[in-house]
Amino acid sequence: MNQPTVRRASAAWTLVITSLAGFMAALDNLVVTTALPSIRADLGGELADLEWTVSAYTLTFAVLLMFGAALGDRFGRRRLFMAGLAIFTVASAAAALAPGIDALIAARALQGVGGAVMMPLTLTLLTAAVPPARRGAMLGIFSAVTGLAVASGPLVGGALTEHLSWQWIFWLNVPVGLVLLPLARLRLTESYAPNARLDFPGTLLVSGGFFGIVYALINGQADGWTSAPILTGLIGGTVLLLAFVRHGIVGKNPMLPMRLFRDRAFAGINISSTLMFLGMFGATFLLSQFLQGVLGYSPTEAGLRMLPWTGMPLLVAPFAGYLSDRIGGRPIVATGLALQAVGLALFALVLEPGVSYAAQLPGLIISGVGMALFFAPAASVVMSSVRPGEQGMASGANNALREVGGALGVAVLGAVFAAQGGYATPRMFVDGIVPALWIGSAAVAVAAGAALLIPARRKAAVAEVADVEEEREPVTV
């Protein structure tokens, strides 16, 4: 077999392996949402426990994401990819076998650790294996597979929960992981980044800070907002995050240099991303339970009814990407966020214990279109806002802040829901979810305003330099 054929085969195998791994990690962001009522019925637990079932994954995934990428750069991307995949697979089995809600939360946190190591290295491995001329097509396929995971998450979770059991949303990962591990060892090429450095202080500060704040928000209603654990979490978490910001300013080789936020595009898109995920994840967490617990839909029916929202990016994103190339990312991102805010507001206006699906449909569709308009140009805005050598760091920071926004969204909107309503009756559930949705809509509306910080056009020179830099091959063995 000649050399070009070998390279094409290697690139194809890398695409298959990384896409399947990315699919698993992305699927686990939302697959659990439609299973929450069944998990609550089987394992028990209060609202705070359900919130941790979601947030334990998103939070550990978020705060360790950049550290996981740095580990791969330092010790070998294939080696760490396999380690992350192994952790994710074992944690999935542990979640399926969990005898109680606390064990499930611990397994979900371990899943997040594995995903944080595995997920950022999928793109790095794929970029290293594919020639620059074919990279766009390969990354497009990878993004489509990841998008499909996000879109199908509630539906897959609902179908498995209804027709098998909620445990199968986790068992699904195990055979995939066991197949991918030997394939990764045999088919992926090892690669490193020269002079890669690890930021242990930054990782500890940001992990402790966000954990303290999310813990306080989730448990505040039950423990009392003025209780010692809650005040400790809020104050201690804030202090640690401020220390993280200072570390990013004065530290040597910080994981997230604060100087990046001097750029209006980088600051605007990251503020927008965090607030958008806050509203979207928090709303999805509550709406999936509303569809089943209040309206009486089965898990599969609930997943299907959420498709106009979660699945819309598959239809609209290509058009949004084309449009952003023509007129710039700022108007597309801002419009998408504004539509998402309107969609959540429409939900808040119509939700009642007996609301019809037809009344919900406008909110679902408008929210879905808005999410699609945001996703397509957001990555391009992030990558064009920094120098080529900092694009990996910028992408990791943006993904991490999105996940942090998701964890905060579940915590904040869950706290509003708990303060205003509860699970006792359909009326109480509606009394809780409506103000929570208004908070989510307001957060996304602020995100739309933050998007206006993005300059109307990035200089063409930035893109040209990025193209030149992209052709430099990483160190491989």
Side-chain angles (χ1 to χ4, degrees):
M1 188 180 293
N2 58 41
Q3 194 67 19
T5 304
V6 171
R7 287 180 179 174
R8 282 195 296 271
S10 175
W13 275 112
T14 302
L15 176 64
V16 170
I17 294 167
T18 56
S19 294
L20 285 174
F23 184 91
M24 283 199 305
L27 188 72
D28 270 62
N29 260 326
L30 290 177
V31 70
V32 75
T33 53
T34 43
L36 288 173
S38 297
I39 291 172
R40 183 168 180 260
D42 194 6
L43 299 182
E46 302 300 324
L47 173 65
D49 299 310
L50 296 183
E51 291 179 64
W52 276 118
T53 303
V54 177
S55 295
Y57 179 82
T58 55
L59 192 58
T60 52
F61 186 93
V63 299
L64 295 176
L65 190 67
M66 288 183 284
F67 188 69
L71 283 173
D73 289 344
R74 177 75 176 273
F75 297 109
R77 290 159 179 159
R78 181 183 66 182
R79 181 180 294 120
L80 266 295
F81 171 81
M82 291 176 62
L85 179 59
I87 292 171
F88 189 89
T89 303
V90 170
S92 296
L97 294 169
I101 194 71
D102 291 338
L104 177 60
I105 292 169
R108 287 283 287 167
L110 190 60
Q111 269 191 313
V113 173
V117 175
M118 173 181 69
M119 191 62 178
L121 297 176
T122 55
L123 283 175
T124 316
L125 287 163
L126 186 58
T127 300
V130 179
R134 299 170 55 208
R135 213 166 276 166
M138 291 293 193
L139 291 176
I141 295 172
F142 177 89
S143 299
V145 172
T146 305
L148 180 63
V150 173
S152 61
L155 178 58
V156 170
L160 290 174
T161 299
E162 181 177 351
H163 299 294
L164 294 171
S165 69
W166 65 262
Q167 286 89 346
W168 278 95
I169 66 178
F170 302 114
W171 281 127
L172 180 68
N173 296 327
V174 176
V176 179
L178 292 176
V179 169
L180 289 182
L181 278 168
L183 283 177
R185 177 66 182 86
L186 294 172
R187 298 294 182 178
L188 297 182
T189 301
E190 187 61 282
S191 65
Y192 302 81
N195 304 317
R197 294 179 175 87
L198 302 177
D199 182 11
F200 288 103
T203 301
L204 292 174
L205 288 171
V206 73
S207 301
F210 278 122
F211 176 81
I213 290 174
V214 171
Y215 171 86
L217 290 172
I218 288 178
N219 293 283
Q221 187 66 26
D223 295 352
W225 291 102
T226 58
S227 64
I230 302 306
L231 290 177
T232 300
L234 289 173
I235 297 171
T238 302
V239 169
L240 288 174
L241 289 181
L242 290 174
F244 174 73
V245 171
R246 184 178 184 279
H247 175 71
I249 297 172
V250 304
K252 186 177 181 181
N253 300 310
M255 64 192 300
L256 181 56
M258 292 298 132
R259 59 178 170 76
L260 295 179
F261 288 93
R262 295 173 188 164
D263 185 278
R264 285 170 51 203
F266 186 82
I269 195 62
N270 279 289
I271 294 170
S272 297
S273 296
T274 304
L275 291 173
M276 186 272 193
F277 269 65
L278 189 155
M280 183 191 74
F281 262 75
T284 304
F285 171 77
L286 293 172
L287 285 170
S288 62
Q289 297 179 74
F290 172 82
L291 291 173
Q292 295 177 68
V294 176
L295 298 185
Y297 294 126
S298 70
T300 303
E301 291 170 339
L304 282 170
R305 280 162 175 75
M306 291 184 74
L307 273 179
W309 185 359
T310 59
M312 194 61 69
L314 294 176
L315 300 177
V316 179
F319 169 75
Y322 169 78
L323 199 59
S324 67
D325 288 339
R326 296 291 298 268
I327 64 175
R330 181 175 72 172
I332 308 302
V333 168
T335 300
L337 291 168
L339 288 175
Q340 178 86 311
V342 169
L344 292 179
L346 288 176
F347 268 117
L349 288 170
V350 304
L351 286 195
E352 289 290 339
V355 64
S356 68
Y357 183 63
Q360 301 171 55
L361 203 54
L364 286 166
I365 293 173
I366 292 172
S367 294
V369 172
M371 187 165 65
L373 291 176
F374 169 82
F375 278 137
S380 176
V381 172
V382 171
M383 300 305 268
S384 65
S385 67
V386 296
R387 295 191 296 266
E390 296 173 332
Q391 287 179 340
M393 183 189 303
S395 177
N398 182 254
N399 285 319
L401 287 170
R402 287 182 181 188
E403 297 295 332
V404 164
L408 289 173
V410 171
V412 171
L413 270 63
V416 174
F417 171 84
Q420 300 295 320
Y423 289 105
T425 65
R427 182 73 257 171
M428 285 186 66
F429 197 103
V430 170
D431 289 343
I433 192 174
V434 168
L437 289 175
W438 280 117
I439 296 296
S441 175
V444 182
V446 174
L452 298 178
L453 292 173
I454 301 168
R457 283 280 188 182
R458 303 300 297 175
K459 293 180 180 180
V462 174
E464 291 171 4
V465 173
D467 291 338
V468 172
E469 186 76 13
E470 203 177 8
E471 295 181 6
R472 298 178 185 175
E473 295 298 322
V475 178
T476 59
V477 295

